[in-house]
Amino acid sequence: MLSSAQSEKQAFFIATLITFWYSSNIGVLLLNKLLLSNYGFKFPIFLTMCHMTACAVLSYVSIVFLKIAPFQRIKSRSQFFRIATLSIVFCGSVVGGNISLRYLPVSFNQAVGATTPFFTALFAYLMTRKQEAWITYGCLVPVVTGVIIASGGEPSFHLYGFLMCIGATAARAFKSVLQGVLLSSEGEKLNSMNLLLYMSPIAVLVLLPATLVMEPNVIDVTMTLATEHRFLGLLILVNSAMAYGANLLNFLVTKHTSALTLQVLGNAKGAVAVVISILIFQNPVTFIGIAGYTMTVMGVVAYGESKRRHK
């Protein structure tokens, strides 16, 4: 009986973690879209800097004070420069994703984002010469074809937004491959929470001058918008905290389940985000667009399963 009760508690705990993980990930996405499109807050670089500031502060609190993950020190100057390189690439992916949300609906943004495995496989081959089975590469055909179909059937298609979304997706995949290359030795590996702890302050230092140069009037405009929209400041604060929460819960779900489970849940999360965003923002969708996105998701699932079988 005791064992049964413990397993039920564990199952409930994991289900709760997954629910919060879904909520934080989808919540950040929807709030980003709301802020950047519906409130006149057209500052994706500044918004990303707010996210990174929250990640830097909350990572420190979580690791140093709350002991959620063991603290890992940087052991060499070369390791620091590798982490800094990852941080810059990570900045590019987040900023690109936020810029794309200004021009594209969340549903199409998620469809393009689902092509991450294609770019991951491409960069893995170019950088490490790592090859997969031919059937695994074959699964990437519907991934790319689906997005091409979805693009043709997207009523709100915007070329600049599409290019920024593709760039963000490629940068996200490049970062994951680069992380494996740069931090491959056992002595330099960091868990995701410690990596975020070190990457976030570097990202803030990179984004601050970029904000001052490319979004020089952000403070004045934000103050003006805050007088028109009472909860704007609170939304930015909640949005930034949720950005950290998504990373923290990503780490915890992986820790208590597995990377494969996270991958499967991630595929489903994209579909859930699409449905919720369509219900909230009422953006028009077409049968062709839905068919294209469905093809992409099925290709991603097949790709993941093929990789697992041919390990």
Side-chain angles (χ1 to χ4, degrees):
M1 289 294 291
L2 184 62
S3 176
S4 177
Q6 285 178 338
S7 58
E8 285 180 9
K9 283 183 180 179
Q10 179 70 5
F12 177 75
F13 173 71
I14 291 173
T16 304
L17 270 183
I18 292 170
T19 301
F20 279 119
W21 179 64
Y22 263 56
S23 301
S24 61
N25 274 272
I26 296 173
V28 169
L29 189 65
L30 297 180
L31 275 178
N32 284 349
K33 178 63 178 177
L34 189 69
L35 286 166
L36 294 168
S37 296
N38 293 34
Y39 276 81
F41 181 81
K42 300 177 180 179
F43 305 107
I45 300 175
F46 177 73
L47 183 62
T48 306
M49 190 178 76
C50 291
H51 289 181
M52 292 298 100
T53 302
C55 286
V57 173
L58 295 175
S59 290
Y60 185 81
V61 172
S62 298
I63 293 174
V64 175
F65 293 103
L66 301 180
K67 311 291 185 185
I68 287 176
F71 177 63
Q72 297 172 291
R73 295 185 182 278
I74 294 178
K75 297 180 179 179
S76 65
R77 183 177 296 179
S78 65
Q79 186 185 16
F80 170 78
F81 282 119
R82 289 169 183 174
I83 292 170
T85 303
L86 288 173
S87 182
I88 293 168
V89 175
F90 181 59
C91 277
S93 69
V94 178
V95 170
N98 285 340
I99 291 174
S100 74
L101 284 171
R102 276 192 59 192
Y103 303 97
L104 299 176
V106 173
S107 53
F108 187 56
N109 176 279
Q110 288 295 285
V112 177
T115 60
T116 301
F118 167 77
F119 290 104
T120 303
L122 177 64
F123 288 129
Y125 177 74
L126 292 176
M127 294 169 64
T128 66
R129 295 299 172 186
K130 180 183 177 183
Q131 295 187 18
E132 306 287 352
W134 282 108
I135 190 170
T136 303
Y137 287 126
C139 294
L140 292 172
V141 174
V143 171
V144 177
T145 305
V147 168
I148 294 171
I149 293 172
S151 301
E154 175 54 53
S156 306
F157 182 83
H158 189 285
L159 181 60
Y160 178 66
F162 174 72
L163 292 175
M164 291 306 298
C165 197
I166 285 286
T169 304
R172 189 161 55 246
F174 182 58
K175 182 253 176 186
S176 67
V177 176
L178 195 63
Q179 183 175 330
V181 173
L182 296 183
L183 302 176
S184 57
S185 67
E186 286 300 322
E188 293 190 341
K189 280 184 179 177
L190 298 173
N191 64 46
S192 60
M193 295 313 299
N194 277 272
L195 189 58
L196 186 65
L197 172 67
Y198 292 119
M199 283 172 53
S200 301
I202 297 170
V204 173
L205 292 175
V206 171
L207 292 168
L208 180 58
T211 301
L212 294 174
V213 172
M214 301 177 72
E215 300 173 348
N217 61 336
V218 60
I219 300 300
D220 293 337
V221 174
T222 302
M223 294 295 287
T224 303
L225 289 173
T227 60
E228 299 173 13
H229 307 286
R230 289 173 51 198
F231 300 108
L232 179 66
L234 180 62
L235 279 176
I236 294 173
L237 190 64
V238 170
N239 182 236
S240 301
M242 287 179 73
Y244 170 72
N247 283 285
L248 172 62
L249 289 161
N250 189 79
F251 169 75
L252 292 175
V253 170
T254 306
K255 179 181 177 181
H256 291 280
T257 56
S258 67
L260 178 62
T261 301
L262 193 75
Q263 183 183 12
V264 174
L265 292 171
N267 294 335
K269 175 177 65 67
V272 173
V274 167
V275 173
I276 293 175
S277 70
I278 291 171
L279 293 174
I280 292 176
F281 296 108
Q282 301 291 307
N283 58 284
V285 292
T286 63
F287 174 77
I288 293 174
I290 293 172
Y293 178 66
T294 303
M295 180 183 291
T296 294
V297 172
M298 290 175 66
V300 171
V301 172
Y303 174 78
E305 179 62 19
S306 179
K307 277 196 72 173
R308 186 183 67 82
R309 290 188 177 185
H310 290 89
K311 268 189 177 179

